[in-house]
Amino acid sequence: MTEIAAIADAINQGASGEDLAALPLPEAYRAAFVKDDEVDMWEGVASEDKDPRKSLHVDDVPLPEIAPDEAVVAVMASAINFNTVWTSIFEPLPTFGFLKRLGKESVWGARHDLPYHIVGSDAAGVVLRTGSAVRNWKPGDRVTIHCNHVDDQDPTAHDDSMLAANQRIWGFETNFGSLADLTVVKANQLMPKPKHLTWEEAACNALCNSTSYRMIVSQHAGDMKQGEAVLIWGATGGIGGYAVQYVLNGGGVPVGVVSSPERAELLHDMGCEHVIDRREKGYKFWKDEHTQDESEWRRLGKDIRALIGKDVEMVFEHPGRQTFGASVFVTARAGRIITCAATSGYMIEYDNRHLWMKLKRIVSSHFANYAEAWRANQALCDGTVQPLLSKVYPLEETGAAALTVHKNEAEGKVGVLCLAAEEGLGIDDPEFREQVGEDKITLFRRMG
Ligand code: NAP
């Protein structure tokens, strides 16, 4: 039996932390990565035709030494995020530049500057080793991992760590990401695994769930009040699906936008009463590449008012160029547009008169600090927020999994099995699972 197989076997048999700590770590492990000698492979290819199956390789890579504040985690399951799509299509930039910059920062940072980039920013697994400075975690702990990689020696990290000068996203701006059998992370990325979820259900949340928590709930971004209405683009997508849940939990009124009747039905089943099918409505916010159509913004505004009888106080904005002008227009006087992304293009255009005359605010948001990620994880542990897992792929098919997200064919979250031998393992508290409700936890699986 290989060392990695022995580790997986021991975890599945419920081995103790001492037993896991005594097992030898392998010198190399299986991981999904892009290569720096392939960053020009897409020359002349349109974005939508770039196929992550060609650029994402799965093979053995050496296991690095860990720093005193780090841990080695056996990854039972991981998930695809949009950032893995960006890395695999080398847009808007190849991510090797991030690794080079990190490489110059310190001796430990230098480990990340490699000719391959192991991707992935979400995981559930088991701690195998901890560095000498780690206090709160030990081998055997079952964890999920958030992706905020922060240097706590940087003073700018001590107000809100998302403001840290060298804040990075693990597995996107750092190496040794989660789409692998093992991963190396800072101890302050670890959080307890929700006991009632399977490995793959537990693995799919942290990045999107924490992002949406900050955007909707946190005083650093949305700070939503009870009764406020929120327009949520991509409301059954990765971040949108968690946003809907936070708006409902906080006593707000979500207006979810999706692009198919199946997605609209899913939203209704989540308890989101007000739904707009943007494909059915056929909004055309841009007349051509350079000109927007204000009458189409007005049509969206009217459709929202017809549903909820008022304008939305907040917009959950991430499609970017395609929707931003409309988002600014439909926001109520003194409302806010919370933005964390620009999937359809980052050169944004909106009519500034609608912003300043009605005292609206555009608020930027990016991932979440440890406290926010912890609270978002706690909501999962408490069963008040549900995972959005729709489909699961094996690690060897990471490229195919990323392609479904790239093509907007995936619902909610797409999982990836790493060391977990099959789906359905890892539930430690079946009674609480029953209490929360199998149908609620697995709602998105019917779309897989
Ligand atoms: P996702 O799972 O693919 O969901 C995105 C949703 O957006 C889709 O389901 C789609 O829904 C909708 N959409 C796509 N193109 C659109 C368009 N042109 N107009 C209107 N709606 C459109 O992706 P995700 O994980 O939610 O991520 C969304 C974006 O946020 C990505 O760019 C990602 O990189 C970014 N992100 C940023 C952070 C951060 O911390 N800054 C964190 C997470 C994600 P319908 O087709 O059903 O309308």
Side-chain angles (χ1 to χ4, degrees):
M1 193 186 277
T2 63
E3 285 143 333
I4 203 80
I7 289 169
D9 199 45
I11 292 171
N12 286 328
Q13 307 287 329
S16 69
E18 292 81 53
D19 288 348
L20 285 174
L23 286 175
L25 295 182
E27 280 179 15
Y29 65 104
R30 205 172 49 132
F33 55 84
V34 294
K35 292 161 57 170
D36 76 346
D37 58 2
E38 292 187 347
V39 297
D40 296 326
M41 72 191 293
W42 303 120
E43 248 171 49
V45 180
S47 273
E48 59 272 22
D49 297 329
K50 296 179 182 172
D51 185 342
R53 289 175 299 184
K54 296 200 176 120
S55 53
L56 280 170
H57 307 273
V58 178
D59 209 339
D60 280 359
V61 293
L63 179 65
E65 191 186 341
I66 55 168
D69 62 347
E70 289 180 341
V72 179
V73 178
V75 181
M76 302 307 283
S78 180
I80 302 295
N81 281 293
F82 222 96
N83 64 8
T84 288
V85 175
W86 297 126
T87 301
S88 68
I89 64 174
F90 305 114
E91 282 192 34
L93 299 162
T95 43
F96 288 97
F98 300 138
L99 305 184
K100 287 222 167 325
R101 225 164 298 144
L102 173 53
K104 290 193 184 120
E105 215 172 78
S106 68
V107 173
W108 292 112
R111 291 169 305 165
H112 293 255
D113 184 10
L114 294 166
Y116 54 88
H117 185 182
I118 304 164
V119 291
S121 306
D122 258 325
V126 181
V127 175
L128 295 176
R129 293 285 191 282
T130 51
S132 56
V134 176
R135 290 180 294 109
N136 295 339
W137 305 94
K138 56 183 188 324
D141 286 344
R142 294 177 164 226
V143 294
T144 57
I145 306 175
H146 76 76
C147 62
N148 189 13
H149 183 279
V150 179
D151 173 358
D152 62 11
Q153 293 176 34
D154 177 350
T156 55
H158 286 269
D159 183 3
D160 166 12
S161 64
M162 287 309 296
L163 303 185
N166 55 4
Q167 183 279 328
R168 293 183 166 89
I169 298 295
W170 160 61
F172 179 62
E173 294 164 290
T174 78
N175 219 323
F176 318 124
S178 65
L179 287 157
D181 287 339
L182 299 175
T183 188
V184 172
V185 296
K186 286 185 180 280
N188 62 14
Q189 289 176 251
L190 299 174
M191 307 188 292
K193 172 188 168 287
K195 289 188 168 67
H196 63 297
L197 299 181
T198 65
W199 292 116
E200 59 278 9
E201 287 164 355
C204 73
N205 309 291
L207 189 149
C208 286
N209 183 31
S210 314
T211 300
S212 301
Y213 179 91
R214 182 170 172 118
M215 287 178 78
I216 299 288
V217 182
S218 171
Q219 83 272 19
H220 291 123
D223 200 9
M224 192 199 78
K225 302 287 181 289
Q226 293 191 13
E228 287 193 323
V230 186
L231 183 74
I232 301 172
W233 293 105
T236 59
I239 51 176
Y242 295 101
V244 168
Q245 298 186 68
Y246 283 114
V247 173
L248 286 171
N249 288 355
V253 181
V255 179
V257 185
V258 285
S259 63
S260 72
E262 295 76 23
R263 289 182 177 181
E265 199 184 320
L266 191 59
L267 267 186
H268 285 306
D269 291 349
M270 288 175 81
C272 178
E273 188 187 335
H274 307 294
V275 178
I276 293 176
D277 181 340
R278 67 182 171 100
R279 193 157 295 162
E280 180 197 49
K281 294 283 183 185
Y283 301 119
K284 222 164 166 261
F285 300 134
W286 289 83
K287 283 185 201 162
D288 57 50
E289 217 182 301
H290 308 287
T291 330
Q292 298 205 57
D293 186 345
E294 186 170 325
S295 68
E296 286 292 275
W297 300 346
R298 274 184 203 288
R299 190 155 72 87
L300 172 65
K302 270 192 187 160
D303 288 341
I304 294 169
R305 282 184 185 193
L307 283 173
I308 59 169
K310 64 170 186 172
D311 292 329
V312 289
E313 280 86 7
M314 206 158 112
V315 177
F316 184 85
E317 172 52 60
H318 54 92
R321 185 169 173 81
Q322 284 296 326
T323 55
F324 207 92
S327 293
V328 169
F329 180 81
V330 301
T331 302
R333 183 180 285 268
R336 53 243 188 257
I337 301 97
I338 317 292
T339 175
C340 77
T343 318
S344 66
Y346 48 81
M347 295 306 279
I348 300 295
E349 214 176 88
Y350 62 90
D351 186 333
N352 204 26
R353 292 169 300 177
H354 294 302
L355 189 81
W356 96 70
M357 294 292 285
K358 294 200 171 152
L359 300 120
K360 306 178 189 184
R361 282 180 298 138
I362 294 171
V363 181
S364 60
S365 192
H366 184 40
F367 187 61
N369 62 37
Y370 197 9
E372 291 161 341
W374 191 280
R375 284 187 211 115
N377 188 62
Q378 190 59 47
L380 283 158
C381 293
D382 294 343
T384 55
V385 164
Q386 311 306 333
L388 303 176
L389 187 72
S390 61
K391 196 165 179 181
V392 180
Y393 287 78
L395 182 61
E396 289 76 15
E397 291 173 31
T398 298
L403 183 64
T404 65
V405 176
H406 183 29
K407 295 238 168 252
N408 189 14
E409 288 166 0
E411 315 299 332
K413 296 297 305 174
V414 174
V416 174
L417 281 193
C418 301
L419 283 178
E422 54 185 312
E423 291 178 43
L425 304 176
I427 299 171
D428 296 317
D429 190 344
E431 288 79 27
F432 186 58
R433 186 178 179 91
E434 214 178 305
Q435 208 176 308
V436 175
E438 188 72 28
D439 51 340
K440 273 193 187 164
I441 297 169
T442 58
L443 187 66
F444 274 59
R445 293 307 304 249
R446 73 167 191 241
M447 305 291 278

